[in-house]
Amino acid sequence: MNFFENIRVAFRGLKSNKLRSALTMLGIIIGVGAVIVMVAIGQGAKASVTNQIQGLGSNLIMVSPGRSNTGGVRGGAGSMSNISMDDVSAIQTNADAVQAVAPVANTQAQVVLGSQNTATQIIGTTPSYAQVRNQPVAMGRFISDKDLKDNAKVAVVGTTVVQDLMGSANANIVGQIIKINRVPFQVIGVLQSKGSSGANNNDDQIIVPLTTAQTRLIGNKSVRTVYVEAKSSDQMNTAYVEIEQILRHRHKLTSSAADDFSITSQTDILSTAEGVTQSLTLLLSGIAAISLLVGGIGIMNIMLVSVTERTREIGIRKAIGAKRRTIMFQFLIEAVVLSALGGLLGILFGFGGSSLLNRFAGMTSQMSASSVVMAFIFSAAIGIIFGVFPAQKASKLDPIEALRYE
Amino acid sequence: MIKLTNIVKIYKTGDIELRALDGVDLSVDKGEFVAIMGPSGSGKSTAMNILGCLDKASAGEYFLDDLKISEASDNQLAEIRNRKIGFVFQSFNLLPRTSALENVELPMLYSGVGARERKEKALKALSAVGLADRVHHKPNELSGGQQQRVAIARSLVNNPLIIMADEPTGNLDSKSSTEIMSIFQQLNEMGISVILVTHEPDIAKFSKRIVHFKDGLIDSDEIVRNRSIAQGARLNLELTNRVEAAGR
Ligand SMILES: Nc1ncnc2c1ncn2[C@@H]1O[C@H](COP(=O)(O)OP(=O)(O)O)[C@@H](O)[C@H]1O
Ligand SMILES: [Mg+2]
């Protein structure tokens, strides 16, 4: 008896009890569907987080003041920064692995245009910020070196700010005079929209020259963060070490003293975030796998019932010459057909489910081919694992007793 | 062809041992037609199950066609049941919800006959027993006599040496019984040995030899003097080479 005939016999067995087969399959359908949707959600979360982190800029390193344990007093937030503009120029000129440097001083401010006003984040920085933070303008121009030298009162605004001040994100704001903390600034450009990442709206900000921000809005010469772009991803580590050495040297730290600044590289953030989303994916697929397991137990249950019900059929088949192996195979294939068919339907449901999530729940779930293949193989394997016991039970039946079974 | 020597079958239920067969010796040659009779509980079915390789004796030797059945493995027994023996039951034992054709194809499925040849042979066997117009009927759409004829067709398709039937007419009316006996007689004429169990003397008279069981032992064994010939439709069946080998 060949394989295809076995499958045909299995299908007949399943067809003769359609409702029961369908209900049994439902367990596997839900399990596989859940695995696929959950993995898609996890993968989607991972992709969007990675995307956002990469959207920060490329080969990005962030240097911020802090960890200043000198004198036993830890500099809290808002305390005077210990990174000076001279430190920034030193990094710019002395670190070979560094491509560009963008110091930032930022503050919250009230912004007014005519009768409209909004509170937003003001970022004082240098022209290289556009490159380092991968933040091009959609309209007008970015701040220039001349603006920086002149303490020019010019501003590049985010689309949310445009929306808040003009009533529409698409309104032409370039050329208008806005008041930031009562200081008039001319709008010279609009930032390209980056969308929001969680609580952090990248479009709700205004960029002004660093010098202007320091003198007109903040009132001191401090630098809150220095964004550094390494020359390439291979040079991230070199850049990191160079920056650390330059700053330690300039801050005159002894070899035993801890850094009085902190350096974070994009790769660090990325790997942390990947770790988090990885555990999320694992957790979700773990839950889904349990439902698949429950589906498998359902199959075993039904197959056991089926073996008992069909004892006489098994007796007849044996009396006519079916070997143990043949009977075993028949029932095993039935279980595998149940679970594999359930797996296929589950994959379809998973497809449907994750595209519904994308469309209506605003999620960015991502189906991966590997999760589909895995889910299918896994469901077929479940058929084998949970089918073996009932199939063995069937194959071991004694023909005489099976024939006598009513 | 068949040789039983001192066959014992003991059933254990709890502490009680029951000697269903208590040392049976029996030989059956090619081309014989044996009826086994005896009171209820005398061990007829037990003996048939052992003869049919469905069950194993507790002790004793059994040779079938020069094979030592008493020492065969489960797989070997399955193969012998499939290729050498056709079994016919009192309760027909057809697969439910399965057409007559597919029921008859079943033994060939297990002996590895290809789909086309399987269908061809099954159709031939069914038309031989007069069921050419019922091949797609399910067992519950057939009368008892028709079901038993399907079962006989099923027992024939692998060209068995011997057909064993345990009370094949037990569930049938006398007209259907005669038809079934007519088929057995014609098959026997073609060289297939037949052993059947019956408690009806009229049915036993269609055989050539009657063996009486009593309390797990053979009580008497005699040739039938004035044998009845069953009136029935001519069997339109050509059996392959094994028939010539059977001679007689
Ligand atoms: N599976 C079994 N377990 C226990 N006792 C059995 C079993 N099968 C048959 N017997 C007993 O063996 C004896 C012979 O039974 P059986 O061969 O069926 O008789 P017959 O067919 O001649 O009526 C009976 O007493 C019966 O009760
Ligand atoms: Mg009996």
Side-chain angles (χ1 to χ4, degrees):
Chain A
M1 185 154 154
N2 71 35
F3 187 69
F4 290 104
E5 269 153 9
N6 252 314
I7 288 186
R8 216 172 48 87
V9 171
F11 265 101
R12 285 190 48 122
L14 296 174
K15 249 169 49 188
S16 67
N17 217 325
K18 287 197 192 71
L19 181 64
R20 192 161 80 190
S21 305
L23 287 174
T24 312
M25 253 190 292
L26 202 58
I28 295 292
I29 293 173
I30 291 171
V32 169
V35 166
I36 286 182
V37 171
M38 294 300 176
V39 170
I41 289 174
Q43 297 277 321
K46 182 171 160 187
S48 81
V49 167
T50 307
N51 214 2
Q52 277 164 21
I53 293 169
Q54 272 161 355
L56 292 174
S58 41
N59 309 325
L60 189 66
I61 295 172
M62 283 155 275
V63 185
S64 41
R67 297 250 175 92
S68 54
N69 292 329
T70 36
V73 181
R74 196 188 173 99
S79 68
M80 185 64 185
S81 166
N82 58 5
I83 295 183
S84 66
M85 282 307 289
D86 289 340
D87 289 338
V88 173
S89 346
I91 294 172
Q92 174 86 71
T93 43
N94 298 338
D96 293 334
V98 166
Q99 175 77 31
V101 179
V104 163
N106 58 326
T107 184
Q108 284 293 123
Q110 195 69 22
V111 184
V112 181
L113 173 62
S115 62
Q116 302 295 318
N117 73 94
T118 178
T120 187
Q121 165 97 335
I122 311 296
I123 293 180
T125 187
T126 61
S128 47
Y129 185 86
Q131 180 196 340
V132 175
R133 290 297 311 275
N134 185 22
Q135 178 70 82
V137 290
M139 243 191 289
R141 64 172 181 87
F142 204 72
I143 55 174
S144 67
D145 283 327
K146 189 170 182 300
D147 295 330
L148 202 66
K149 216 165 71 202
D150 295 350
N151 276 10
K153 288 179 274 184
V154 292
V156 184
V157 299
T159 49
T160 305
V161 178
V162 180
Q163 164 84 41
D164 289 347
L165 293 178
M166 311 268 299
S168 155
N170 297 321
N172 188 2
I173 197 173
V174 177
Q176 302 267 25
I177 304 292
I178 57 172
K179 285 186 171 163
I180 305 175
N181 280 1
R182 305 213 185 135
V183 182
F185 280 76
Q186 183 175 30
V187 176
I188 54 169
V190 177
L191 295 170
Q192 210 169 70
S193 172
K194 276 189 155 185
S196 58
S197 54
N200 194 4
N201 185 347
N202 292 316
D203 296 331
D204 193 6
Q205 59 181 20
I206 296 179
I207 292 175
V208 300
L210 176 65
T211 48
T212 319
Q214 285 170 337
T215 53
R216 296 288 182 157
L217 302 173
I218 302 170
N220 63 49
K221 289 257 172 194
S222 71
V223 172
R224 183 64 63 82
T225 312
V226 183
Y227 293 100
V228 180
E229 182 185 347
K231 280 191 170 138
S232 70
S233 57
D234 297 340
Q235 303 216 47
M236 291 282 280
N237 281 334
T238 319
Y240 188 105
V241 173
E242 282 175 349
I243 294 166
E244 187 173 30
Q245 276 169 352
I246 289 166
L247 289 180
R248 286 182 71 87
H249 177 72
R250 291 186 52 83
H251 291 187
K252 302 192 167 54
L253 299 176
T254 59
S255 56
S256 61
D259 289 351
D260 60 354
F261 50 87
S262 66
I263 309 178
T264 318
S265 78
Q266 199 177 14
T267 28
D268 294 343
I269 308 176
L270 209 58
S271 62
T272 310
E274 272 175 2
V276 172
T277 49
Q278 191 70 30
S279 355
L280 175 75
T281 306
L282 221 64
L283 176 77
L284 291 177
S285 38
I287 294 170
I290 288 174
S291 68
L292 201 51
L293 196 72
V294 172
I297 293 172
I299 286 193
M300 175 148 80
N301 188 18
I302 288 302
M303 290 311 294
L304 283 173
V305 170
S306 171
V307 167
T308 309
E309 251 186 22
R310 286 152 71 190
T311 298
R312 209 178 160 85
E313 171 192 329
I314 295 164
I316 294 171
R317 288 180 185 274
K318 284 197 148 188
I320 280 169
K323 295 180 181 162
R324 266 190 190 191
R325 185 159 29 94
T326 317
I327 298 291
M328 165 102 186
F329 227 65
Q330 179 191 337
F331 282 85
L332 197 55
I333 284 184
E334 258 184 48
V336 173
V337 165
L338 262 184
S339 65
L341 212 61
L344 282 179
L345 290 174
I347 287 170
L348 289 182
F349 272 69
F351 260 114
S354 50
S355 39
L356 281 182
L357 277 180
N358 286 352
R359 179 167 296 186
F360 296 112
M363 285 181 147
T364 47
S365 63
Q366 272 186 359
M367 297 272 296
S368 68
S370 67
S371 78
V372 170
V373 172
M374 279 291 291
F376 182 73
I377 292 176
F378 204 62
S379 60
I382 274 194
I384 295 177
I385 292 164
F386 290 96
V388 159
F389 176 60
Q392 253 177 356
K393 212 179 137 183
S395 74
K396 284 185 184 153
L397 284 177
D398 179 66
I400 300 282
E401 273 167 34
L403 280 173
R404 208 177 280 142
Y405 187 87
E406 286 306 322
Chain B
M1 181 180 67
I2 281 179
K3 190 162 167 55
L4 297 181
T5 325
N6 201 20
I7 290 287
V8 175
K9 178 73 188 180
I10 299 172
Y11 289 116
K12 285 201 184 88
T13 15
D15 288 342
I16 304 157
E17 279 196 1
L18 189 130
R19 289 177 87 85
L21 294 179
D22 199 7
V24 171
D25 298 306
L26 180 69
S27 295
V28 178
D29 284 334
K30 278 204 170 83
E32 281 207 75
F33 192 149
V34 182
I36 296 177
M37 299 193 72
S40 184
S42 56
K44 306 184 295 291
S45 292
T46 306
M48 279 302 269
N49 290 338
I50 290 170
L51 283 168
C53 299
L54 286 164
D55 205 357
K56 282 179 142 180
S58 310
E61 280 191 339
Y62 173 20
F63 284 92
L64 168 66
D65 202 24
D66 296 329
L67 293 165
K68 193 161 188 183
I69 304 299
S70 36
E71 283 174 6
S73 70
D74 276 2
N75 270 349
Q76 286 169 322
L77 289 182
E79 200 136 316
I80 290 162
R81 289 198 293 272
N82 185 241
R83 293 170 189 274
K84 308 214 170 198
I85 299 170
F87 217 102
V88 177
F89 302 88
Q90 176 174 1
S91 49
F92 320 132
N93 277 340
L94 300 175
L95 287 190
R97 297 182 296 276
T98 306
S99 72
L101 181 63
E102 280 173 294
N103 263 295
V104 176
E105 282 188 33
L106 208 55
M108 294 185 281
L109 198 64
Y110 294 129
S111 57
V113 176
R116 178 189 295 261
E117 189 186 348
R118 216 159 59 206
K119 187 168 180 190
E120 224 167 76
K121 284 189 170 179
L123 285 173
K124 260 190 200 158
L126 278 167
S127 72
V129 296
L131 289 176
D133 54 346
R134 296 283 191 278
V135 293
H136 295 300
H137 284 56
K138 311 248 162 85
N140 60 353
E141 299 159 354
L142 295 170
S143 74
Q146 287 169 333
Q147 288 187 59
Q148 197 60 300
R149 280 189 275 158
V150 174
I152 292 173
R154 183 179 66 185
S155 76
L156 281 176
V157 285
N158 272 350
N159 291 331
L161 288 174
I162 183 160
I163 288 184
M164 312 224 182
D166 191 352
E167 309 216 26
T169 59
N171 286 358
L172 301 179
D173 58 67
S174 65
K175 181 166 172 284
S176 303
S177 298
T178 313
E179 278 168 13
I180 297 298
M181 291 317 293
S182 157
I183 294 174
F184 281 144
Q185 281 191 331
Q186 293 179 61
L187 289 173
N188 184 240
E189 290 304 311
M190 293 173 188
I192 299 178
S193 318
V194 179
I195 303 181
L196 68 81
V197 170
T198 182
H199 56 263
E200 297 170 66
D202 289 349
I203 296 293
K205 287 283 275 278
F206 292 115
S207 73
K208 296 176 179 166
R209 171 183 168 194
I210 297 179
V211 174
H212 256 275
F213 271 65
K214 196 180 173 193
D215 296 335
L217 279 170
I218 293 180
D219 189 43
S220 71
D221 185 346
E222 49 205 22
I223 304 295
V224 176
R225 294 279 167 228
N226 38 10
R227 187 183 180 211
S228 322
I229 299 300
Q231 296 305 308
R234 274 299 327 144
L235 255 193
N236 173 22
L237 184 69
E238 283 166 38
L239 290 175
T240 41
N241 35 17
R242 192 169 273 160
V243 178
E244 287 113 55
R248 286 244 249 188

